[in-house]
Amino acid sequence: MSLTSSAATEPDYDVLVVGAGFAGMYALIDARRRGLRVVCIDAAPQVGGVWQWNRYPGARCDIESLDYSYSFDDELQQDWTWTERYATQPEILRYAEHVVHRYELREHIRLNQRVAKAVFDAEAAVWQVEVDGGADVRAQHLVLATGSLSTPVRPNIPGLDEFTGEILMTAAWPHEGFDVTGLEVGVIGTGSSGIQAIPILAKSAKSLTVFQRSANYSVPVKNRDLSPEQMDEARRDYPRRRSIARTSMAGTLAQAHPSSFWDLDEAERRAAFEARWAEGGVLFGKVFDGQTVDRGINDAAREFAIEKIHALVDDPEVAAALTPDHAIGTKRICTDSDYYETFNRQHVSLVDLRKNPIVEIRPDGIKTQDGLHRLDVLVLATGFDALTGAIAAIHLEGPDGVLASDVWADGPLTNLGIAIPGLPNLHVIMGPQSPGVFSNAFIASELQVDWVMDLIVHCRENRIRTVETTREAAQDWSDKVQKLAAGTLFPETESWYLGANIEGKPRVFMLYAGGLHPYSLECAGVRDAGYAGFELADA
Ligand code: NA7
C-alpha cells in the first residue's frame, strides 16, 4: 500500500480517530455532534479497545461501574443498567455495543484495519494515512485514541517458543474462552490481570503454579450485585455523582479521610484503614491525603495491608513471599476476589522468582533453579508497553521529516499530554503526560476529547489550517509533569508508569500527577488564553 502523493485536494475527512475503545468512540460521537466529517479506524474485530482484547477469566473494572461509564449524555446513563458494582468484561463490552447502536456509530467505524503510518502533507495541511487492510485516508486532524494499555508484552524468556502446551496471553485471550479443567496451569505475572485471573483459573485447574517476580498489593474488591432499586437510586443520583467526579482528583467519588493522618491517634488511623479496606477496591491507595507523597503515611498504609496479607495466607513463608516491598500505591493497587486465599489451596503453589529464577522454558514446562514445573498451559499476564507503546507502533511523520519517535527519543514530550511538537493537527487522548490511567478513563477522555474538538472547531471557524504546540510550551509542560512526580513517592518504584518494564525504554515518569480537576483547569486556561503555547496558522 502506498501513500497518495501530495495533491491540494480536499481531505476525505476533517478528523480521523485511531482506536475504537471508549475514548475513540466518544471522539467519534463528539465530532459527529459538531458536524465534522469523521471516521474511526481500529485493528480489532470489535469496538471496546482494551475490553475487547482482555477477555481473561475474572476481568472486570476496578472503578465502580456507575462511575466507569460515559457521563456526556444523561439519557444514556438513564437508559443503561449495570448489574454489578464492578462490571465484568462481557458487560462492559455489551455497554460498548449499546453505545455504538444508540449513536449509530457502526457505519463510521472501520474495524480489522490498522493505521500503520501517517505523514503530514504540509502543503495541503492534511495527514496522509496508510491503513493496513483498508483504503488509505486523508484527514485534516488525527486523533490518537490508541489506548494506554493496548500493546501487550510477550516476555523474552529463553525457550518460550519451544513450549508445546497452550500459551495464553491475558491481553489476547481466545474469544471462545479456554477451559483449564483438569490441566496443569502456570501463570507468569502478578499485576491486576494475573491477580484477577488466578483465583478463577484455580477453581478448575488440576494444579496452578504462580511465577511471581514482584509481589503486588491487592485489596478485596467486595463486588456485589446492583439491585434494580439500587440502580434506580443511582440513576436519580447521577447529576450529583458526575459533578463530583468532574471536580475530583481522579474522576470518581473517592474522598480521602476528612482529617489529616497526623492529627489522628493510632486507633483512629487504624479505624480509617479498616473502614476503607472493608469498603474494598483500589481506593485503599487514597485513605489519607498525601498517602503517595508522605513516607510516614505510606508506611502506615503499607503495614496495614501487609498485616492483612499475613492474616489471609495460612503459610507464613508464602505470606512473606506475597509481601510487596514497594511503597503502596506507587504501582496501581490491584483488586481481587479471594486472591490471597487461593494460595491456601493444596493444588496452588507460588514460585518466588527472585529467589528461584526461571532458567528456561522447556517444551513441557518451566525450569526454575530448583527444577522443572510441568505445565499443560502457560498464562502470560505480563503487562503492556504502557502509554507510549501504541503510539510508537505508528510511523508518525510531521513536516520536514520530523518523526514522533525522534521527538520522544528521551521520553514523551507533549503539551497537556495532547499535542506533540513538530506534529501539527495531531491530538493524543489518554496519552503520556495526561492524568490518563491515574483517573477514571471515561471522565478523563471526555474532558480531553471535548477540549480537542473545541480546538478543531475553533480552527474551522477561524480558517486555521494547522495548529501545533510550540516546543517551549511542550518543554514547560513536561517539566511540570516531572516536577509534580518528583514531589511524590512514585518515581522510586520500578513500574510501567516509568517505562521500567520495557528494556531500553527511557526511564521517565509518564503521568500528570497533579489530579484530574487541576488538569482540566490547565486545559481550560490554555483554551481561554486563545490557545496559548500553540501556533495557529491560517489559510
Ligand atoms: P502489569 O501490572 O504490568 O503486570 C505484569 C506482571 O507481569 C507483573 O507482575 C510483572 O512483574 C510480570 N512480568 C512481566 N514480565 C515478566 C517476566 N519476564 N518474568 C516474570 N514476570 C514478569 O500488567 P497487568 O495486565 O496485570 O495490569 C495492567 C493494568 O491493567 C493495571 O495496572 C490496571 O490498571 C489494569 P514486575 O512487577 O515487572 O516485576
Side-chain angles (χ1 to χ4, degrees):
M1 192 135 334
S2 67
L3 294 176
T4 45
S5 66
S6 156
T9 52
E10 271 290 291
D12 305 320
Y13 296 97
D14 301 316
V15 183
L16 164 59
V17 178
V18 188
F22 284 106
M25 282 164 59
Y26 179 59
L28 178 54
I29 293 168
D30 200 14
R32 292 190 66 227
R33 286 200 299 200
R34 295 168 190 255
L36 298 166
R37 293 174 307 149
V38 56
V39 66
C40 176
I41 298 182
D42 197 302
Q46 202 179 342
V47 300
V50 68
W51 295 106
Q52 194 286 141
W53 295 108
N54 286 256
R55 295 171 187 249
Y56 60 85
R60 63 172 78 240
C61 55
D62 63 6
I63 290 179
E64 295 197 31
S65 322
L66 296 172
D67 298 313
Y68 195 73
S69 48
Y70 288 123
S71 73
F72 68 89
D73 181 354
D74 189 50
E75 283 183 21
L76 170 63
Q77 55 198 18
Q78 294 303 325
D79 186 36
W80 180 257
T81 300
W82 292 110
T83 64
E84 293 182 64
R85 182 182 181 197
Y86 296 98
T88 58
Q89 175 271 338
E91 184 161 280
I92 296 171
L93 215 47
R94 281 199 294 280
Y95 176 68
E97 290 293 348
H98 172 77
V99 170
V100 168
H101 180 72
R102 184 182 175 97
Y103 298 95
E104 299 176 345
L105 304 182
R106 179 66 67 213
E107 63 182 293
H108 307 284
I109 301 176
R110 286 166 41 176
L111 295 168
N112 293 306
Q113 300 180 22
R114 182 176 289 280
V115 169
K117 181 172 180 177
V119 177
F120 194 72
D121 173 348
E123 206 179 309
V126 162
W127 282 99
Q128 299 188 99
V129 180
E130 192 175 302
V131 183
D132 287 348
D136 294 350
V137 171
R138 287 166 59 82
Q140 197 186 2
H141 291 269
L142 196 55
V143 173
L144 299 183
T146 43
S148 307
L149 295 158
S150 50
T151 309
V153 178
R154 190 178 162 95
N156 190 11
I157 304 175
L160 180 57
D161 293 337
E162 264 57 72
F163 183 66
T164 51
E166 196 72 40
I167 297 181
L168 301 171
M169 292 191 83
T170 48
W173 201 261
H175 281 209
E176 62 283 8
F178 190 91
D179 184 5
V180 298
T181 304
L183 299 177
E184 298 192 289
V185 179
V187 177
I188 300 182
T190 48
S192 292
S193 304
I195 283 177
Q196 286 187 334
I198 284 163
I200 313 250
L201 293 169
K203 280 185 187 156
S204 40
K206 178 177 171 197
S207 70
L208 184 79
T209 310
V210 177
F211 297 87
Q212 172 192 273
R213 187 164 70 184
S214 316
N216 257 316
Y217 300 94
S218 187
V219 179
V221 73
K222 299 283 168 71
N223 185 46
R224 54 175 178 265
D225 288 347
L226 289 175
S227 67
E229 295 72 34
Q230 285 168 325
M231 205 48 230
D232 284 346
E233 171 55 29
R235 287 192 183 94
R236 285 192 289 277
D237 191 41
Y238 266 128
R240 183 192 72 92
R241 192 170 191 113
R242 299 306 195 177
S243 119
I244 294 174
R246 286 195 200 99
T247 51
S248 69
M249 296 300 270
T252 65
L253 301 192
Q255 301 282 345
H257 194 280
S259 305
S260 158
F261 172 86
W262 298 111
D263 291 341
L264 301 179
D265 64 24
E266 193 54 37
E268 291 167 323
R269 292 170 182 170
R270 200 176 167 80
F273 287 130
E274 196 68 71
R276 192 53 75 83
W277 188 274
E279 215 178 295
V282 284
L283 298 180
F284 189 80
K286 293 176 190 158
V287 182
F288 288 102
D289 266 338
Q291 199 168 303
T292 43
V293 172
D294 182 319
R295 172 113 27 221
I297 308 176
N298 194 280
D299 280 347
R302 211 175 104 63
E303 280 157 23
F304 182 90
I306 291 171
E307 224 179 89
K308 290 288 184 193
I309 297 172
H310 282 260
L312 290 166
V313 179
D314 296 343
D315 181 337
E317 258 183 58
V318 176
L322 287 167
T323 299
D325 55 13
H326 57 277
I328 190 164
T330 55
K331 283 182 177 181
R332 191 175 179 88
I333 289 183
C334 304
T335 63
D336 71 275
S337 301
D338 299 332
Y339 175 63
Y340 293 114
E341 294 87 331
T342 298
F343 291 93
N344 297 333
R345 302 184 68 170
Q346 284 305 311
H347 69 305
V348 176
S349 48
L350 179 69
V351 176
D352 180 349
L353 297 178
R354 291 193 179 173
K355 291 193 178 140
N356 182 19
I358 295 177
V359 177
E360 61 178 352
I361 298 186
R362 293 268 179 92
D364 56 347
I366 295 184
K367 184 171 181 236
T368 56
Q369 228 164 47
D370 73 349
L372 181 72
H373 303 265
R374 229 204 66 75
L375 301 173
D376 301 311
V377 179
L378 175 54
V379 174
L380 301 175
T382 42
F384 300 85
D385 183 354
L387 297 157
T388 57
I391 297 171
I394 304 173
H395 174 104
L396 291 169
E397 186 175 332
D400 307 320
V402 171
L403 296 176
S405 52
D406 288 341
V407 181
W408 283 13
D410 299 325
L413 177 68
T414 75
N415 192 353
L416 298 173
I418 294 175
I420 305 174
L423 301 171
N425 296 4
L426 179 132
H427 319 276
V428 182
I429 308 298
M430 290 294 285
Q433 302 192 334
S434 79
V437 291
F438 270 178
S439 48
N440 176 350
F442 280 87
I443 303 292
S445 53
E446 283 176 349
L447 186 159
Q448 285 194 314
V449 166
D450 285 344
W451 191 91
V452 166
M453 292 303 162
D454 280 351
L455 173 60
I456 293 174
V457 168
H458 173 85
C459 290
R460 279 175 75 81
E461 287 173 350
N462 294 281
R463 298 176 57 77
I464 290 161
R465 298 173 82 223
T466 60
V467 53
E468 182 182 338
T469 177
T470 64
R471 193 165 255 276
E472 297 69 41
Q475 194 57 57
D476 287 350
W477 182 255
S478 300
D479 292 347
K480 185 177 283 190
V481 168
Q482 292 315 314
K483 200 166 162 212
L484 282 165
T488 71
L489 301 173
F490 283 101
E492 71 174 31
T493 298
E494 299 275 67
S495 72
W496 54 257
Y497 297 148
L498 279 151
N501 63 329
I502 305 292
E503 222 180 298
K505 192 164 172 172
R507 289 287 171 94
V508 186
F509 192 79
M510 290 188 285
L511 289 164
Y512 173 87
L516 186 68
H517 187 234
Y519 173 78
S520 75
L521 298 177
E522 294 267 11
C523 292
V526 168
R527 184 195 55 217
D528 296 347
Y531 298 104
F534 286 78
E535 277 168 1
L536 291 86
D538 52 22

